[in-house]
Amino acid sequence: MSPARPDSDSKPKVGVYVCHCGINIAAKVDIADTVAFASQLPHVTAAKEYKFMCSDPGQDIIQKDLRSGLIDRVVVASCSPLMHEPTFRRAMLEGGGNPFLFQMANIREHVSWVTKEKAAGTAKARALIAAAVERVVLHQPLQKTSVPVHPDVLVVGGGIAGIHAALTIADAGKKVYLVEREPTIGGHMAKFDKTFPTLDCSACILTPKMSAVRSHPNITLWSHSEVTGVDGYVGNFKVKVTRKARYIDEEKCVGCLECIEACVFKKGKTDDEFNLGLVKRKPVYVPFPQATPLVAVIDPKSCIEFKTHKCPKNCVEVCEPKAIDFTQTDRTEEINVGAVVLATGFKAFDARRISRYGYGKYPGVYTSLEVERLVNAAGPTGGEIIMTNGEKPKAVGIVHCVGSRDEKTNRYCSRVCCMYSLKLAHLVKERTNAEVYNFYIDMRTPGKGYEEFYEKLLHENVHFIRGRVAEVSDWAMTAEEKGKLIIRVEDTLIGVVRRIPVDMIILSVGLEPQPDADDVRRLFNISCSREGWFLERHPKLAPVSTFTEGIFIAGACQGPKDIPDSVAQAGAAAAEALALIDRGRVEIEPNTAYVTDELCSGCHTCSNICPYSAIVFNEETEKASVNGALCKGCGTCVAACPSGALQQNLFTDEQIFQEIKGVVSYV
Amino acid sequence: MSSIESGKQTFEPRIIAFFCNWCTYTAADLAGTARMSYAPNVRVVRIMCSGRLDPQFILSALREGADGVLIGGCHPGDCHYQEGNYKALRRFTLLKRFLRSMGIEDERIRLEWIAASEGDKVQRVINEMTETVRALGPLHLEAMSMERIEDVIPSELKAETVAASGGHHE
């Protein structure tokens, strides 16, 4: 158990620096006591305290002690290593030391912030410091290695966030693959009529960006495609993209739509997904007139040719470029990229889950997204707000927070519903002059120009009733209520239960993670928050990074977000990806495994369990050896090696045994 | 180590935790950021993956005076290194069998899958574990002849681990 030291002729000199972190640590850890305790630990030649160790003056203290020769190893007792380990490693390097002769003791997240009593906090801090000192004495000076970064970027998701990220990266001169699973890009924004609070036309600002994607020389747009495999690591991801068969040759199709005209179906019979089933589409279709790419797609589930093989195939006949190909199959493309931006968006809350609101039961109850299509000039009614019974509504109720801010569905605020409800209230009033009632719990309008928009609505003769809607029914109590939908609600401003009869109800549904967000998360090896949104590396300081290097997130896949925030985040994610790619090389943590030949018995245990095939067996010497470029540093092989021949840099058996000794010491 | 509670001496267990860097250690950080206070008895050693957990670490912790050992890893299917947590589970199961034969109660070592977002689970598990081990009382493994255990068991255990994890390859 003799520690192997780099400079065996000189004894290690450890400096311990205890951070107050203002009162974050000092309130629950007796700093003077821990410093006094640290100063008498073996090998400790300096023990100091400072208010903020991560600040420049804090780092200076370490660097001065390094330069003067007082210390050659450092323990900083402060926050989590996931927060500031890179900061202090850099400080050590700049102070002329080796960045890996360093250990952090996490006395903030793991001590002061979670411990009630100061005495207990101080004892725990002491033990963690003792452990760090025991351990750092055994640290070896290490060098970081670097690997080249592939210059191409993958963007997953073709909504406004994905589009903006792809264009930003492509404009910087990098090659981008934009993968979208729907037949067209555009996402939710393409379905909206107007955007809040400016009321500018959604399509007018989105479609130019969509065509810019299509025509950009640096962007490869793969719609109707899905990422099905991800391998590799930061700078060198190998990605499999399955390009689903559209049965129409994308290269040949000119978007003339003749095939749709000629289809044997005179009328559509399948729910039009883009219009949320408000109209029907044919088996051959384009999702909407500005679809990008403007290439038709055949849905084999409803196409006669796929079902019976007896279709006259009028579509094939009229297609001059001969683009229709019933023999097409899914095919897989393999690409190499250096970074990935995930912008997979959200799913609108399913209003059926709250049965008392009558969605799916009463034809007069719509979701907000459906109404977006109804008010859209390119939508199923040409922009007229006409209900399924063919009539214009005379009274409309807009129910806020459907599926949001509720223990039974989602506890979080979906952040956009207040604003889009106000927008829809304005549009409905403008187009129908109906009485419009907003039922809200709180009005949440934080954003540039948002509160002003709310003020404007207050002056548009729109009614605002504060209270969560209890129920929607068609059970009339008076002649006036007959044939109407009745909204039962407690008006909490006047303290009265009211019944409001309306013709049309708009449910302002909240935002939820995509149903397959968990699969995508696993594919890219990132984490999700409790609710299922992709988890950022740090909520404040790394909002578009993930815990997996090289994978960035943008838009509503990270949490409910409006268009300006999605675009801003997409720009940030693009900048992070560009910074990574422009560096050209990426540094790899040196915590890889290595073999001590003399101890290796050649049993193959390690090479059999390595998930990255990083361990090869040399048949001649009958010893295992680790390929440092492939090793990701999990240490599974080290734990399995029966002869102790395998060790892991920064996590050797000896280092961990010493750390155990330290934390159990309960000093 | 012992504190006075309502005039009675109570036993304060020492528990050591091995948390993987990507899920459980991050969750413990989150518990801190969210100021979820919990019993001060559990002290964390960070490892990159629960797959790094050599059964000897657990034995070492018990020998050094720990009354219980907690292991935290990513949920099945979520391992940052693909499947290190499954390997941890196998070793854990084998080690438990061995510890049982030594007369060490099952409840003294606990394996939990705790995702990065589950700060509240860290709090709950640490509090539960502290109470459980407190009820069991001190382990005093250092009083047993550890030399004997070390002589006989690790090689056997290693052999079993090898058998359990061998033959599986990506």
Side-chain angles (χ1 to χ4, degrees), chain A residues 80-82 106 110 114 124 521-522 525 530 547 608-609 612 634 636 639 641 648 651 653 663-664 666, chain B residues 14 16 21-22 25 29 32 35 37-38 41-42 46 51-52 78 80-81 87 91 120 158 165 168:
Chain A
S80 168
L82 304 184
N106 185 347
H110 289 197
V114 292
K124 193 171 174 184
R521 170 181 75 80
R522 288 197 172 150
N525 210 342
R530 275 189 91 71
F547 283 103
N608 282 338
I609 64 166
Y612 304 103
C634 62
T636 305
C641 175
Q648 181 186 11
F651 293 91
D653 285 346
V663 285
V664 186
Y666 276 60
Chain B
R14 305 173 175 197
I16 181 163
N21 183 63
W22 303 99
Y25 194 90
D29 277 0
R35 313 296 200 274
S37 66
Y38 51 74
N41 306 57
V42 173
R46 180 171 69 117
R52 173 67 184 94
D78 283 0
H80 189 81
Y81 303 101
K87 311 240 165 70
R91 290 171 187 149
D120 52 340
K158 283 283 190 183
S165 51
H168 185 82

Side-chain angles (χ1 to χ4, degrees), chain A residues 303-434:
Chain A
C303 174
I304 298 276
E305 175 58 18
F306 282 95
K307 286 166 115 173
T308 66
H309 300 288
K310 283 178 189 151
C311 182
K313 290 184 264 193
N314 297 350
C315 54
V316 177
E317 215 155 285
V318 297
C319 182
E320 278 186 34
K322 305 257 173 286
I324 295 171
D325 176 8
F326 289 111
T327 66
Q328 225 182 47
T329 50
D330 292 359
R331 60 185 202 279
T332 302
E333 304 264 7
E334 287 196 21
I335 53 172
N336 293 316
V337 294
V340 178
V341 176
L342 291 177
T344 50
F346 68 93
K347 174 181 101 55
F349 177 80
D350 179 4
R352 280 180 189 84
R353 282 172 58 194
I354 307 178
S355 57
R356 65 183 190 279
Y357 288 169
Y359 181 74
K361 182 180 174 193
Y362 305 120
V365 183
Y366 292 79
T367 69
S368 43
L369 214 48
E370 288 169 345
V371 179
E372 292 280 357
R373 293 314 298 152
L374 283 184
V375 295
N376 193 303
T381 55
E384 295 259 14
I385 301 174
I386 305 168
M387 304 189 298
T388 38
N389 60 10
E391 284 174 21
K392 268 193 181 181
K394 291 185 194 72
V396 178
I398 302 177
V399 182
H400 290 220
C401 298
V402 178
S404 309
R405 302 184 65 199
D406 187 341
E407 292 281 346
K408 294 190 183 74
T409 53
N410 299 309
R411 286 176 58 192
Y412 54 87
C413 167
S414 290
R415 238 183 100 175
V416 292
C417 327
C418 278
M419 282 304 290
Y420 79 60
S421 298
L422 293 175
K423 175 190 74 179
L424 288 175
H426 168 85
L427 295 174
V428 169
K429 189 88 193 160
E430 183 184 77
R431 310 268 167 96
T432 63
N433 201 28

Side-chain angles (χ1 to χ4, degrees), chain A residues 1 24 79-83 85 89 103 106 108-111 113-116 120-121 123-124 127-128 135 231 518 521-522 525 527-530 535 537 547-549 591 603 605 607-613 632-643 646-648 651-653 656-657 659-661 663-667, chain B residues 1 12-16 18-19 21-23 25-26 28-49 51-58 60-61 63-66 75-84 87 91 115-121 158-159 161-162 165-170:
Chain A
M1 276 214 181
N24 283 307
C79 53
S80 168
L82 304 184
M83 182 92 180
E85 192 173 58
R89 280 184 177 171
Q103 179 72 11
N106 185 347
R108 192 178 75 174
E109 280 86 342
H110 289 197
V111 180
W113 278 347
V114 292
T115 310
K116 280 191 184 139
K124 193 171 174 184
L128 293 182
R135 186 191 212 280
D231 214 347
D518 211 46
R521 170 181 75 80
R522 288 197 172 150
N525 210 342
S527 299
C528 280
S529 67
R530 275 189 91 71
L535 194 65
R537 194 181 188 107
F547 283 103
T548 301
E549 293 282 332
N591 59 6
C603 72
T605 303
S607 51
N608 282 338
I609 64 166
C610 176
Y612 304 103
S613 310
K632 307 275 190 299
C634 62
T636 305
C637 58
V638 186
C641 175
S643 47
L646 269 149
Q647 286 301 328
Q648 181 186 11
F651 293 91
T652 65
D653 285 346
I656 295 173
F657 281 134
E659 194 176 347
I660 292 168
K661 218 178 234 176
V663 285
V664 186
S665 62
Y666 276 60
V667 274
Chain B
M1 221 186 315
E12 283 300 331
R14 305 173 175 197
I15 298 163
I16 181 163
F18 296 95
F19 284 173
N21 183 63
W22 303 99
C23 289
Y25 194 90
T26 310
D29 277 0
L30 177 66
T33 313
R35 313 296 200 274
M36 298 172 174
S37 66
Y38 51 74
N41 306 57
V42 173
R43 274 135 215 216
V44 178
V45 169
R46 180 171 69 117
I47 44 182
M48 293 310 284
C49 177
R52 173 67 184 94
L53 193 79
D54 191 321
Q56 290 191 84
F57 295 162
I58 299 171
S60 164
R63 184 188 54 213
E64 297 291 345
H75 283 271
D78 283 0
C79 177
H80 189 81
Y81 303 101
Q82 298 181 15
E83 51 192 27
K87 311 240 165 70
R91 290 171 187 149
S117 59
E118 296 177 317
D120 52 340
K121 191 169 179 187
K158 283 283 190 183
T161 312
V162 170
S165 51
H168 185 82
H169 184 50
E170 276 297 293

